[in-house]
Amino acid sequence: HTAYRRQRQMCIRDSKRIEAHRLFDAIWKNGIMSRKDAYRWIQDTFSLSDSQAHIGQFSDYRCDCLMAETRKVLENNHVRLAG
């Protein structure tokens, strides 16, 4: 049971990171910031170093925080997302 639970938790974590990345990418894909500036925004928002600012390494909690902050940026710039 624990192997199954661990695999399920990893799948949930992976899907959360994918969703966080999808939202975050909307910042630079919609021209709100350049891609470089968007990653700098992550660093500044969460007080991270360059090496720490990789969404693939984020915890569930950090993904939730990134998604919340990203939604604010998108809403403030009148970007509506499908879904």
Side-chain angles (χ1 to χ4, degrees), residues 2-83:
T2 57
Y4 171 77
R5 188 174 316 172
R6 189 175 306 120
Q7 185 176 9
R8 180 163 159 65
Q9 288 172 339
M10 289 182 73
C11 287
I12 291 169
R13 182 172 174 228
D14 288 346
S15 65
K16 190 166 278 202
R17 289 190 310 222
I18 290 166
E19 177 65 11
H21 225 304
R22 184 187 72 82
L23 275 173
F24 168 74
D25 286 350
I27 290 175
W28 59 269
K29 287 182 177 181
N30 282 283
I32 296 168
M33 298 177 205
S34 69
R35 189 168 186 251
K36 181 178 179 178
D37 287 343
Y39 276 96
R40 174 65 67 185
W41 171 80
I42 288 178
Q43 292 174 351
D44 293 345
T45 300
F46 298 105
S47 301
L48 300 175
S49 69
D50 186 50
S51 64
Q52 294 172 318
H54 295 281
I55 297 169
Q57 299 173 355
F58 283 8
S59 66
D60 284 354
Y61 174 75
R62 175 88 24 119
C63 284
D64 288 337
C65 294
L66 176 61
M67 288 189 286
E69 292 301 316
T70 298
R71 283 186 183 100
K72 290 178 192 175
V73 170
L74 296 172
E75 288 172 11
N76 288 339
N77 286 275
H78 312 288
V79 173
R80 296 184 64 138
L81 296 172

